[in-house]
Amino acid sequence: MAAPVQTRQNLLPSLLARIADARSVTDSLFPLVQPEAIYDRPIPERHRLIFYLGHLEAFDWNLIGRGALGFDPVNPRLDQLFSFGIDPTDGNLPSDAPSDWPAVEAVQNYAARVREKLDACLHDSALLDPSRPLLADGTLLHVAIEHRLMHAETLAYLLHQLPLHKKVPTVSTLDVATPAPAPYMVKIPLGTATLGQKRNGGSFGWDNEFEEHSVRVPEFAIDAYPVTNGQFLKFVRAGGYKTRSLWAEKDWAWKESQGIYHPWFWVHLGDEWEYRAMFAQIPLPLAWPVFVSHAEASAYARWKGKLLPTEAQWHRAAYGTRTDQERSYPWGEEYPQPRHGNFDFQQWDPSSVGAHPDGASELGVQDLIGNGWEWTSTPFEPFPGFEPFPFYPGYSANFFDGLHFVMKGGSPRTASCMLRRPFRNWFQPHYPYIYATFRCVEA
């Protein structure tokens, strides 16, 4: 049993460094909130911001300190209160009041105590015990790291919805001068898309990333770039939000009940349109990818006489070649670098489409990684051979409900580690707050 211990010893320093880096990312977000806004709920379907101040540490402690190592609770009530987020799909929104939550100082003290106790655990020799395989191979630490980085993106969505006066003013670079290239479609030849990854391949993955399997994808054409605000503006001006035939029944009912007649990030001012960037309201940047819900993306695709790509089609366009060889990233095997796209917290807002030509796939499709997750038409379902995480059985399985769709790619606020080929994101079709764009395909 010596080999696992040696592997763990080699792995531990890099994982501890990654935990520190991930903490620095999330720690930098809460100071952007004006003190009086910490109990706000910027997105009706989500918890108040105060929840996330305690959740990140509570999750790590419940997963590792209590779950894997069997230590006593730090604070039983707060361990439970901050344990899980929410994702209501039945229209029932949370109804808690600010007074239902602890004081900010109490939450900060709890988070500090948890982090201190967890750090003591992470430097303890018990972590090297080969009888604890999920710790010995780093799985639980990978989970803690990526969970935190996912919430760094979730918090960006939430902070984006706060009124500007409730955020601490911050200088943010905005790429508004670069024009969008002319749109066109790329023909993708018949070929194979490899979805998922091998369970025993030696790389971390969430449970929904397994098992690896191949899908034969017929020839199709796909937009070279994601749909821009400028392109989507034509749909809006053509009455797309008022044309019943473009919308699925549930999508139309949602749109009408919520009074949605334009993308959530847009602001209508008389005859003009503006855009809610993270720290400013600016004239609508026509060259940026449009951020919309799955319902809105689907309606636009119907208006164009096209479709959203399937998960397999998106993979084929992104990672495929003119042979059946596939790449780890659209551009090749090199780990993601800033020249490849807008991701890994480089910017708060999008870049113009086409601004990162070094990120193109071999087949000539651009902007596949970063700048906005891309909707697919594929419902979020398990791959053949799916096995839920024993320590987190509901992570994926709770969402195999036909009410969520697969997203691929990444946004400006997606960490590099989650840009790997098998990673799958998913959201409800009626959720307009996320950094999600799309492109269309046709057979």
Side-chain angles (χ1 to χ4, degrees):
M1 299 297 290
V5 175
Q6 183 61 44
T7 299
R8 183 73 189 105
Q9 288 172 331
N10 293 337
L11 191 61
L12 184 58
S14 66
L15 287 173
L16 292 179
R18 289 186 60 209
I19 289 173
D21 288 345
R23 285 174 174 174
S24 70
V25 172
T26 53
D27 287 350
S28 70
L29 297 175
F30 294 103
L32 298 175
V33 181
Q34 297 285 4
E36 66 273 15
I38 194 65
Y39 289 93
D40 283 11
R41 192 196 311 276
I43 294 178
E45 293 90 342
R46 294 286 176 240
H47 277 307
R48 299 178 184 277
L49 293 175
I50 188 69
F51 166 79
Y52 300 92
L53 188 62
H55 172 62
L56 298 172
E57 310 309 329
F59 180 91
D60 291 353
W61 180 253
N62 289 331
L63 178 74
I64 299 172
R66 294 181 63 187
L69 299 176
F71 289 108
D72 291 335
V74 173
N75 180 314
R77 184 176 74 87
L78 298 186
D79 287 352
Q80 178 61 35
L81 179 65
F82 294 114
S83 58
F84 290 108
I86 49 179
D87 180 47
T89 57
D90 54 9
N92 293 321
L93 301 179
S95 58
D96 55 278
S99 59
D100 295 328
W101 295 89
V104 171
E105 184 177 5
V107 180
Q108 291 173 327
N109 290 339
Y110 165 77
R113 285 179 57 210
V114 169
R115 189 175 290 191
E116 181 180 5
K117 289 177 71 70
L118 185 62
D119 284 351
C121 294
L122 293 177
H123 290 86
D124 189 273
S125 60
L127 210 61
L128 302 175
D129 185 349
S131 69
R132 304 178 191 273
L134 293 172
L135 285 169
D137 68 4
T139 296
L140 293 188
L141 298 185
H142 280 292
V143 166
I145 292 165
E146 294 202 2
H147 169 267
R148 181 176 291 270
L149 292 171
M150 289 177 191
H151 274 293
E153 186 163 356
T154 300
L155 281 162
Y157 303 149
L158 288 161
L159 298 185
H160 211 126
Q161 304 310 315
L162 275 179
L164 293 175
H165 71 273
K166 292 191 175 184
K167 290 181 273 194
V168 174
T170 302
V171 176
S172 178
T173 302
L174 297 173
D175 174 17
V176 295
T178 306
Y184 62 95
M185 301 194 82
V186 176
K187 183 173 290 188
I188 307 298
L190 167 73
T192 297
T194 302
L195 306 183
Q197 60 172 304
K198 295 179 180 177
R199 191 174 302 281
N200 299 315
S203 297
F204 171 74
W206 293 87
D207 55 8
N208 64 76
E209 296 179 42
F210 304 101
E211 181 69 49
E212 182 181 283
H213 62 289
S214 296
V215 178
R216 200 67 173 162
V217 182
E219 179 181 281
F220 66 100
I222 189 168
D223 289 338
Y225 304 99
V227 173
T228 64
N229 285 319
Q231 290 173 280
F232 203 85
L233 182 59
K234 296 178 182 178
F235 169 73
V236 174
R237 287 175 170 168
Y241 279 82
K242 300 177 182 179
T243 305
R244 174 67 183 83
S245 60
L246 297 176
W247 299 77
E249 182 176 349
K250 289 184 178 180
D251 296 345
W252 180 262
W254 162 75
K255 182 189 72 67
E256 291 293 291
S257 67
Q258 299 299 313
I260 294 173
Y261 297 103
H262 58 78
W264 187 261
F265 289 82
W266 295 14
V267 179
H268 200 189
L269 298 174
D271 294 331
E272 302 296 326
W273 291 94
E274 293 195 343
Y275 186 90
R276 290 184 293 185
M278 178 62 88
F279 296 106
Q281 188 163 303
I282 61 175
L284 183 66
L286 300 181
W288 287 8
V290 65
F291 288 162
V292 290
S293 68
H294 188 273
E296 293 163 292
S298 299
Y300 177 94
R302 291 189 192 96
W303 179 67
K304 296 291 288 186
K306 301 177 182 179
L307 300 167
L308 298 184
T310 65
E311 184 177 7
Q313 286 175 323
W314 195 95
H315 264 256
R316 176 75 181 129
Y319 308 112
T321 64
R322 300 200 178 278
T323 69
D324 268 350
Q325 296 296 314
E326 293 175 286
R327 294 173 162 185
S328 296
Y329 300 98
W331 53 85
E333 301 306 310
E334 183 182 10
Y335 193 76
Q337 302 296 324
R339 71 177 186 278
H340 295 134
N342 179 14
F343 45 72
D344 203 32
F345 315 107
Q346 295 178 59
Q347 298 177 192
W348 286 102
D349 295 290
S351 301
S352 297
V353 303
H356 297 89
D358 287 350
S361 74
E362 181 180 301
L363 298 177
V365 186
Q366 305 265 355
D367 288 16
L368 290 151
I369 303 295
N371 222 31
W373 290 98
E374 296 194 22
W375 288 111
T376 76
S377 61
T378 300
F380 182 56
E381 296 175 341
F383 287 153
F386 169 80
E387 296 178 8
F389 278 155
F391 53 85
Y392 197 170
Y395 172 73
S396 298
N398 285 354
F399 303 96
F400 296 149
D401 54 10
L403 301 176
H404 297 77
F405 287 85
V406 174
M407 303 162 69
K408 297 294 297 186
S411 86
R413 310 305 294 177
T414 302
S416 291
C417 60
M418 291 181 286
L419 302 176
R420 60 181 176 271
R421 189 173 75 187
F423 188 86
R424 308 169 82 200
N425 198 0
W426 68 93
F427 267 98
Q428 304 173 32
H430 303 153
Y431 199 71
Y433 316 105
I434 53 177
Y435 305 142
T437 185
F438 69 101
R439 66 183 81 214
C440 298
V441 299
E442 59 184 9

